[in-house]
Amino acid sequence: MKTKTILGSLAIGLMTTSFTALAEPPFGDEADVAFAKALWGTLQEHGLVGENRTMSAPYAGRHPHGAFLDTMDRQEFSVEDATGPVIVKRNYGGEDLSKEAVWNDPDQYLGAVTVMFKREGYDPDNHDWFWAKYLPDGSLDTNPEGRPLAGRVAKGMEQGCIACHATAPGDDMVFAHDRFQ
Ligand code: HEC
């Protein structure tokens, strides 16, 4: 009886530990949020996000990104102590959307800015991408639980940037190389 109780509480103890581990998502912690902030700031300095950004020709998008997209990349991009390629995608949505409407007034239709930045050694299982989803003002979008979408989103989970981008052709989790400018 006694042994059983001890084993029982051990099992509960172990379960609690693994639940705690699961409860902490692999993204959106303080360090991820700070890095996402630095990333946005640097993108802004390079005219890739924010008011004075340059834009490429919008094209019809694919789910779950916007109805129209415009995507730009830079091969050598430095944020804090990391240097690597960055891909910035602007996601447009709204009523009666057309390429011309987006081109003429991008701010009216911009719903989100999704970014992939390669940080060497950050997540070797997933080609070292740092993922972030920003709202047009540069604040981070969140998941339904309020967790900021920045970092390894959502490593080990069935849905999210990583799970979906893992299905991209090629071997770097990137879908549309041909679209970048
Ligand atoms: C259900 C699938 C799916 C999910 C989830 C998803 N994406 Fe994508 N993503 C795509 C597809 C498909 C494209 C290609 C769109 C196109 O250009 O036609 C794409 C394109 C991109 C691109 C341009 C580079 C490329 O792969 O072509 C970036 C950057 C990006 N996504 C970031 C993100 C981020 C950040 C998240 C999570 C917040 C995310 N994506 C979640 C499917 C997904």
Side-chain angles (χ1 to χ4, degrees):
M1 234 3 217
K2 227 180 182 174
T3 329
K4 251 192 187 164
T5 321
I6 292 169
L7 281 179
S9 40
L10 244 180
I12 289 169
L14 284 174
M15 274 164 64
T16 321
T17 320
S18 53
F19 278 132
T20 318
L22 278 179
E24 185 67 19
F27 61 91
D29 69 10
E30 249 175 64
D32 292 329
V33 171
F35 191 83
K37 229 179 209 177
L39 175 57
W40 180 270
T42 315
L43 288 169
Q44 206 162 11
E45 281 165 25
H46 286 77
L48 287 167
V49 299
E51 271 176 33
N52 300 318
R53 67 187 181 277
T54 46
M55 185 176 172
S56 65
Y59 58 93
R62 272 184 266 172
H63 180 79
H65 294 295
F68 283 89
L69 309 173
D70 110 73
T71 308
M72 302 187 81
D73 76 325
R74 294 288 178 270
Q75 281 310 308
E76 287 265 316
F77 195 77
S78 295
V79 184
E80 295 185 337
D81 57 352
T83 299
V86 71
I87 311 171
V88 181
K89 186 160 57 54
R90 296 74 173 256
N91 305 269
Y92 305 96
E95 296 282 306
D96 302 325
L97 212 53
S98 65
K99 268 182 212 179
E100 292 68 30
V102 170
W103 185 249
N104 291 332
D105 192 358
D107 286 345
Q108 190 183 334
Y109 302 105
L110 185 64
V113 180
T114 37
V115 179
M116 295 164 69
F117 174 63
K118 201 174 271 244
R119 289 173 79 179
E120 208 184 323
Y122 176 70
D123 186 8
D125 301 339
N126 296 297
H127 299 271
D128 285 337
W129 291 112
F130 178 93
W131 309 82
K133 182 173 182 187
Y134 302 91
L135 299 175
D137 67 358
S139 60
L140 284 167
D141 198 3
T142 57
N143 72 3
E145 286 76 43
R147 190 87 178 174
L149 295 173
R152 302 171 186 89
V153 191
K155 189 170 177 154
M157 299 184 187
E158 279 171 23
Q159 289 184 345
C161 322
I162 292 177
C164 190
H165 275 254
T167 67
D171 67 352
D172 61 355
M173 308 183 87
V174 174
F175 279 100
H177 283 287
D178 52 326
R179 300 291 199 179
F180 306 163
Q181 287 181 32

